[in-house]
Amino acid sequence: MNVHIDSTATDRVLAPDELEAALRAIGAERYHHLHPFHRLLHAGALTRGQVQAWALNRYYYQAMIPIKDAHALTKMPAPELRREWRRRIIDHDGDGPGTGGIERWLKLAEGVGLDRSYVQSTDGILPGTRFAVEAYVNFVRDRLILEGIASSLTEMFSPGIIADRVRGMLAGYAFITEETLAYFTPRLTQAPQDVDFALRYVKAEARTAAEQAAVLAALRFKCDVLWAQLDALYLAYVDPGLIPPGAFVPAAE
Amino acid sequence: MNVHIDSTATDRVLAPDELEAALRAIGAERYHHLHPFHRLLHAGALTRGQVQAWALNRYYYQAMIPIKDAHALTKMPAPELRREWRRRIIDHDGDGPGTGGIERWLKLAEGVGLDRSYVQSTDGILPGTRFAVEAYVNFVRDRLILEGIASSLTEMFSPGIIADRVRGMLAGYAFITEETLAYFTPRLTQAPQDVDFALRYVKAEARTAAEQAAVLAALRFKCDVLWAQLDALYLAYVDPGLIPPGAFVPAAE
């Protein structure tokens, strides 16, 4: 595995607030709210089949998040750190049947007309989705916990995109209801809580220029993971519509 | 990591020649000679910048092949098996400075106008390339050696595509010379030799229906790895020309 050295790094150690500003600057340039697929999704400009492709592929990302977070737990020596982080697993997996973020995503997928067991099989997802999501899981497994925690910081930028998405999708698609989008409601409070902890951790623990460069590179990597998933969707289902062999083919509309 | 169960598998054990036929059928449906990027490349229909993007991204695949093969070596208990497989590493890494497949690929990249150290840095490659290539390395690291060897069998289909490529690129691009394409000449003899061994191994060792299904899934996975690299190139540099943040931008032509 290549180590990705941040070519913009200097030897100067940033003050914690400078580090936060540098992290926010990465989001402003590279977060996937800028991707044309999201602009179309939120503008109500996609077909039902294209929205299905998004829900189907994004399911794999949702489903692997607790695996990613379990890898993070394995690198946390202190109970208080693990207590904080395990909340993410609980948020996604729920407290019993029919609860949790993954279940809510399945309801979203069913709400847009997909079959639950087809979604769960992940048979129809794009190879580009699979490779990007697994790159994220492997990154957290293989790197320092500082880098793993930093890679979660794309959530700094998510409340804005979620608000846009829910408003835009409810207005733009007759087949979308508030109930279908129930996944996103708790995320609006969970994400800031998660970010609050992760950002404090990163600002406190990245003390050397090399550690700060690794933190910035981790966030850039994670932006690539999110962006590449939309690239794969765009190529296959929007323009030029090049669906790879074996992937989901929307029904004619 | 998901285990990808072959949904077309039956409980019947295939005869070795039936297994080979099933492997060849996967190539006929999923090998990347069918991808529109290759059709354009071989038809002389790309710009110099698009050919540069291909050479730059494909370098990362070439550069990681010996890492992948070293993972395979770690799973081979017998000296005769390792002796056979290590040839692949020698072919890529050469016998001294200025030799080997990776060096020849760098000459190809320089021949189409790229800077050697920029190529070697892999700074400008697409995230989609990085994730697909690393998925391949991780597959060989994490799976059974039977699956790792089976995943190499896309080479069964490569002599045809290489002949098409060399003929088409020499005819189609004024900036391409035979010397630039020197990478491909030894591949025409190396690949069949590699395939001969790997195919015999797989036909002899995949004795149960489950092992045969795993072998077929491994080849399907590898076709996805190759296809996804061309998908990423196509989206970024052909149509619609959506270059991700931070990736190589060809000079205006």
Side-chain angles (χ1 to χ4, degrees):
Chain A
M1 211 70 56
N2 267 24
V3 174
H4 310 301
I5 301 298
D6 174 19
S7 56
T8 64
T10 65
D11 287 339
R12 190 171 75 80
V13 177
L14 303 175
D17 286 349
E18 289 179 305
L19 180 61
E20 179 174 341
L23 290 164
R24 293 196 184 278
I26 289 171
E29 277 178 25
R30 290 175 172 246
Y31 189 57
H32 63 174
H33 68 301
L34 297 170
H35 197 286
F37 189 90
H38 270 162
R39 280 201 235 112
L40 295 172
L41 177 68
H42 303 163
L46 298 181
T47 65
R48 191 155 173 267
Q50 289 168 326
V51 174
Q52 287 176 337
W54 167 74
L56 175 73
N57 279 273
R58 171 87 186 210
Y59 170 78
Y60 186 58
Y61 178 76
Q62 300 296 341
M64 293 299 277
I65 289 295
I67 312 296
K68 181 272 292 181
D69 285 319
H71 281 300
L73 280 187
T74 70
K75 294 170 188 261
M76 294 177 169
E80 56 272 25
L81 198 50
R82 290 196 300 271
R83 278 200 300 269
E84 174 63 40
W85 207 263
R86 78 178 182 214
R87 193 165 30 79
R88 295 167 180 253
I89 297 179
I90 296 168
D91 287 344
H92 270 77
D93 287 341
D95 283 316
T99 67
I102 294 174
E103 176 61 29
R104 281 193 296 277
W105 196 271
L106 283 167
K107 294 216 175 88
L108 184 155
E110 289 181 305
V112 302
L114 292 166
D115 176 69
R116 166 180 287 250
S117 64
Y118 176 69
V119 176
Q120 287 176 309
S121 77
T122 76
D123 280 347
I125 69 170
L126 297 163
T129 301
R130 191 176 298 284
F131 300 153
V133 169
E134 293 182 0
Y136 185 32
V137 175
N138 292 335
F139 183 90
V140 176
R141 183 190 66 187
D142 296 339
R143 300 296 185 104
L144 300 173
I145 188 60
L146 177 63
E147 295 171 286
I149 291 179
S151 71
S152 77
L153 286 173
T154 43
E155 285 186 293
M156 286 197 283
F157 320 119
S158 76
I161 200 175
I162 288 178
D164 283 354
R165 180 175 302 153
V166 170
R167 196 183 321 114
M169 290 182 77
L170 286 173
Y173 304 105
F175 57 90
I176 297 271
T177 66
E178 281 198 49
E179 198 187 0
T180 307
L181 298 184
Y183 170 81
F184 295 108
T185 313
R187 293 307 303 154
L188 289 168
T189 47
Q190 288 164 355
Q193 196 181 2
D194 291 348
V195 165
D196 188 51
F197 172 81
L199 191 56
R200 262 190 294 120
Y201 180 92
V202 161
K203 286 163 76 175
E205 300 296 326
R207 293 190 202 91
T208 68
E211 285 167 341
Q212 294 183 339
V215 159
L216 295 169
L219 184 59
R220 221 176 275 120
F221 161 80
K222 174 65 176 305
C223 287
D224 286 349
V225 165
L226 298 175
W227 192 277
Q229 291 176 67
L230 296 183
D231 271 0
L233 282 169
Y234 200 90
L235 178 92
Y237 299 109
V238 179
D239 179 19
L242 195 60
I243 300 174
F248 171 67
V249 178
E253 295 183 63
Chain B
M1 211 70 57
N2 267 24
V3 173
H4 311 299
I5 301 296
D6 175 18
S7 56
T8 63
T10 65
D11 286 339
R12 190 171 74 82
V13 177
L14 303 175
D17 286 349
E18 289 178 306
L19 181 60
E20 178 173 342
L23 290 164
R24 292 194 184 279
I26 289 171
E29 277 178 26
R30 290 176 172 246
Y31 189 57
H32 63 174
H33 68 301
L34 298 169
H35 197 285
F37 190 90
H38 270 162
R39 280 200 234 111
L40 295 172
L41 177 69
H42 304 163
L46 298 181
T47 64
R48 190 155 173 268
Q50 290 168 327
V51 174
Q52 287 176 338
W54 167 74
L56 176 73
N57 278 274
R58 171 88 186 208
Y59 170 77
Y60 186 58
Y61 178 77
Q62 299 297 341
M64 294 299 278
I65 288 295
I67 312 296
K68 181 274 292 183
D69 284 319
H71 281 300
L73 280 187
T74 70
K75 294 169 187 261
M76 294 177 169
E80 56 272 25
L81 198 49
R82 291 196 300 272
R83 277 200 299 271
E84 174 63 39
W85 207 263
R86 78 181 185 212
R87 195 164 29 78
R88 294 166 180 253
I89 298 180
I90 295 167
D91 287 344
H92 271 76
D93 288 340
D95 283 316
T99 67
I102 294 173
E103 175 62 28
R104 280 193 296 277
W105 196 271
L106 283 166
K107 293 214 176 89
L108 184 155
E110 290 181 303
V112 301
L114 292 167
D115 175 69
R116 166 180 287 250
S117 63
Y118 176 69
V119 175
Q120 287 175 309
S121 77
T122 75
D123 280 347
I125 69 170
L126 297 163
T129 302
R130 192 176 298 283
F131 301 153
V133 169
E134 293 182 0
Y136 184 32
V137 175
N138 292 335
F139 182 92
V140 176
R141 184 190 63 187
D142 296 338
R143 301 294 186 105
L144 300 174
I145 189 61
L146 178 64
E147 294 171 286
I149 291 179
S151 70
S152 78
L153 286 173
T154 43
E155 285 187 294
M156 285 198 283
F157 320 120
S158 75
I161 200 176
I162 288 177
D164 283 353
R165 180 174 302 152
V166 171
R167 197 183 320 113
M169 290 183 76
L170 286 173
Y173 303 105
F175 57 90
I176 298 270
T177 65
E178 282 199 49
E179 197 187 2
T180 306
L181 298 184
Y183 170 81
F184 295 107
T185 313
R187 293 307 303 155
L188 290 168
T189 47
Q190 288 163 355
Q193 195 180 3
D194 291 346
V195 165
D196 188 52
F197 172 80
L199 190 57
R200 261 190 294 120
Y201 180 92
V202 161
K203 287 163 75 173
E205 300 296 327
R207 293 189 202 92
T208 69
E211 285 167 342
Q212 294 182 340
V215 159
L216 295 170
L219 184 60
R220 222 175 275 120
F221 161 80
K222 173 65 177 303
C223 286
D224 286 349
V225 165
L226 298 175
W227 192 276
Q229 291 177 66
L230 297 183
D231 270 359
L233 282 170
Y234 199 90
L235 178 92
Y237 298 109
V238 179
D239 181 16
L242 195 59
I243 301 175
F248 171 67
V249 179
E253 294 185 63

